[in-house]
């Protein structure tokens, strides 16, 4: 027997499950993959960035146009609450120089193990390889290893994820069960494709540091990496939304030096040394930066100072969506009420990355997934109480 069914065992789904279990509901979680929270675990492989230790107003502003619908949820569960939640799962945390918060163990697996044990103690049942297959009237269809089952929970929370990293479970296939209710998926926090010339081959895999990236009004001082197919990394991800939406990308190779200073240094006599050595000695441009200058600015004009300060980067658009860290698009806000319940299906709620919002990198995505899961779980539990529905307990 069950009172509540959660579809998806990522951070949003597990948070919704815990919230409803603490409210006294008997909760079942259906996870399509053989193990839960696979994308969460993958995020932890490079250091689990849980949140950003910013004041709440600063934290909210990072979501840009998506702040409005998310604001009450993030005010209820923001950076401070995320840290308290992780510490409650016996994870010691530290805050880096940029304000990003990590477990001291850096990985996601210890936190997930502790969380699953707590959920088990609350009576939450987790079924693996249970794949949601839409509805049959009021009943939820689930494909299991033993065949199709149809369930009729009091409340359901959908936490199906976005549409990137399909092998980890987020493939966006759930949108077929909600026709006319979703915005098209788009890659978010992604790299960009570049057809490099042969002279760039020696520099593949190298990081470009000490630069500033510009895309419209968005600026990043982060670094990025040259890859076989283009550019990737935190600095690019920070400006990726603006580029995806049509802004041109340029790079300041010497952001702490004025254009006049660059020009003055370049006018110093170079004698018989090559241009590369002149750039290295006068500007301290690394070989990687010189290679980018040659790639995108040849034939070089007499005055290259403006190009060093604003080098236009030609690209062929975002990397494929399945390679993006996250996605934009998904279940539209106008299809949901203020409690994240589907307007056309009372008793069914939604949470997490499947909602139509977009977060920058830096801990914002995980925090917002937890916040929306908590919000959906609370309103689902409240809905059962407000409607006087008897639950299994």
């Amino acid at each position: 027997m069950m009172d509540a069914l959660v579809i998806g065992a990522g951070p949003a789904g597990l948070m919704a499950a815990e919230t409803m279990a603490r409210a006294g509901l008997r909760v079942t979680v259906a996870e399509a993959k053989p193990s839960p929270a696979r994308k969460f675990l993958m995020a932890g492989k490079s250091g689990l960035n849980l949140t950003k230790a910013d004041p709440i107003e600063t934290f909210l502003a990072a979501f840009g146009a998506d702040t409005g619908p998310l604001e009450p949820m993030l005010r209820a569960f923001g950076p401070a609450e995320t840290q308290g939640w992780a510490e409650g799962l016996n994870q010691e945390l530290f805050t880096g120089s940029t304000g990003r918060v990590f477990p001291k163990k850096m990985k996601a697996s210890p936190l997930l193990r502790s969380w699953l044990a707590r959920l088990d103690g609350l009576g939450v049942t987790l079924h693996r390889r249970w794949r949601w297959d839409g509805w049959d009237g009021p009943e939820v269809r689930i494909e299991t290893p033993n065949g199709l089952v149809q369930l009729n929970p009091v409340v359901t929370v959908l936490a199906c994820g976005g549409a990137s990293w399909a092998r980890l479970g987020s493939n966006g296939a759930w949108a077929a069960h909600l026709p006319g209710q979703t915005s098209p998926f788009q890659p978010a926090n992604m790299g960009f494709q570049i057809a490099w010339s042969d002279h760039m081959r020696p520099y593949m895999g190298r990081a470009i540091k000490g630069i500033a990236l510009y895309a419209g009004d968005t600026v990043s001082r982060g670094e990025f990496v040259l890859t076989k197919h283009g550019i990737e990394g935190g600095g690019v991800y920070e400006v990726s939304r603006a580029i995806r939406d049509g802004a041109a990308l340029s790079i300041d190779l010497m952001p702490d030096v004025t254009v006049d200073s660059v020009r003055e240094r370049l006018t110093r006599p170079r004698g018989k040394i090559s241009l590369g050595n002149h750039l290295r000695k006068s500007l301290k441009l690394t070989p990687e930066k010189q290679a980018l200058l040659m790639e995108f600015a040849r034939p070089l004009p007499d005055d290259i100072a403006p190009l060093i300060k604003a080098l236009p980067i030609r690209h062929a658009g975002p990397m494929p969506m399945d390679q993006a860290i996250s996605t934009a698009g998904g279940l539209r806000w106008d299809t949901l009420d203020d409690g994240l319940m589907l307007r056309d299906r009372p008793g069914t709620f939604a949470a997490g990355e499947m909602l139509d919002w977009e977060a920058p990198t830096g801990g914002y995505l995980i925090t917002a997934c937890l916040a929306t899961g908590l919000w959906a779980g609370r309103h689902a539990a409240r809905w059962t109480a407000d409607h006087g529905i008897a639950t299994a307990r």
Side-chain angles (χ1 to χ4, degrees), residues 12 39 161-164 170 325-327 329 351-357 365 369:
K39 191 173 179 182
S164 63
S170 298
I325 291 178
S326 58
T327 50
E353 200 182 338
M354 70 180 293
L355 304 178
D356 186 10
W357 56 277
L365 184 67
C369 283

Side-chain angles (χ1 to χ4, degrees), residues 313-371:
I313 304 299
R314 299 183 299 274
H315 60 84
M319 295 289 186
M321 185 159 60
D322 196 49
Q323 298 176 22
I325 291 178
S326 58
T327 50
L331 191 58
R332 298 196 317 271
W333 292 105
D334 63 358
T335 68
L336 305 165
D337 70 8
D338 291 341
L340 295 181
M341 185 172 73
L342 274 66
R343 295 185 186 277
D344 69 348
R345 190 169 284 273
T348 298
F349 298 75
E353 200 182 338
M354 70 180 293
L355 304 178
D356 186 10
W357 56 277
E358 182 175 354
T361 56
Y364 301 96
L365 184 67
I366 290 176
T367 298
C369 283
L370 294 170

Side-chain angles (χ1 to χ4, degrees), residues 132-298:
W132 178 47
D133 190 34
W135 291 279
D136 185 358
E139 296 188 326
V140 183
R141 293 167 53 90
I142 302 288
E143 292 286 351
T144 79
N146 297 317
L148 177 69
V149 299
Q150 298 196 176
L151 307 174
N152 195 12
V154 176
V155 289
T156 301
V157 175
L158 305 175
C160 304
S164 63
W165 293 87
R167 66 187 178 84
L168 303 179
S170 298
N171 59 13
W174 55 265
H177 302 308
L178 295 163
Q181 300 186 60
T182 60
S183 297
F185 291 113
Q186 298 182 82
N189 299 308
M190 66 291 185
F192 288 83
Q193 302 178 75
I194 297 175
W196 300 113
S197 63
D198 289 343
H199 101 97
M200 290 296 293
R201 287 182 183 176
Y203 306 101
M204 295 298 99
R206 297 195 188 181
I208 308 298
K209 304 179 181 181
I211 43 87
L213 298 95
Y214 291 84
D217 295 330
T218 309
V219 183
S220 170
R221 288 297 298 264
E223 62 185 66
F224 65 91
V225 176
L226 305 175
T227 73
K228 180 179 179 181
H229 299 293
I231 51 177
E232 294 270 5
V236 173
Y237 302 154
E238 289 181 6
V239 296
S240 61
R241 182 173 189 170
I243 302 170
R244 184 197 67 205
D245 293 345
L249 171 63
S250 64
I251 298 177
D252 185 343
L253 298 174
M254 298 183 67
D256 299 316
V257 181
T258 67
V259 66
D260 288 337
S261 179
V262 171
R263 186 175 287 118
E264 186 276 328
R265 295 183 195 186
L266 287 172
T267 57
R268 297 170 187 172
R270 76 187 239 199
K272 296 182 179 181
I273 66 173
S274 66
L275 176 60
N277 280 330
H278 185 52
L279 292 172
R280 177 178 59 82
K281 290 185 176 182
S282 61
L283 302 181
K284 294 184 170 51
L285 280 191
T286 64
E288 296 83 17
K289 290 183 180 180
Q290 290 187 42
L292 284 174
L293 181 65
M294 298 301 177
E295 180 75 0
F296 293 109
R298 286 183 298 182

Side-chain angles (χ1 to χ4, degrees), residues 2 5 22 51 196 245 247 306 335 347 392:
M2 70 179 70
L5 174 66
R22 290 189 181 280
T51 193
W196 300 113
D245 293 345
T335 68

Side-chain angles (χ1 to χ4, degrees), residues 18-61:
E18 178 171 353
T19 303
M20 292 187 291
R22 290 189 181 280
L25 303 185
R26 184 171 295 175
V27 182
T28 293
V29 178
E31 168 54 45
K33 289 295 184 179
S35 57
R38 287 192 164 194
K39 191 173 179 182
F40 181 69
L41 289 171
M42 178 63 77
K45 284 195 172 182
S46 57
L48 183 63
N49 184 191
L50 287 170
T51 193
K52 185 81 176 291
D54 282 340
I56 187 60
E57 300 300 335
T58 305
F59 192 84
L60 287 169

Side-chain angles (χ1 to χ4, degrees), residues 40-41 44 48 91 107-114:
F40 181 69
L41 289 171
L48 183 63
Q91 302 302 302
K107 297 180 180 180
S109 52
L111 186 153
L112 181 60
R113 283 195 298 270
S114 182

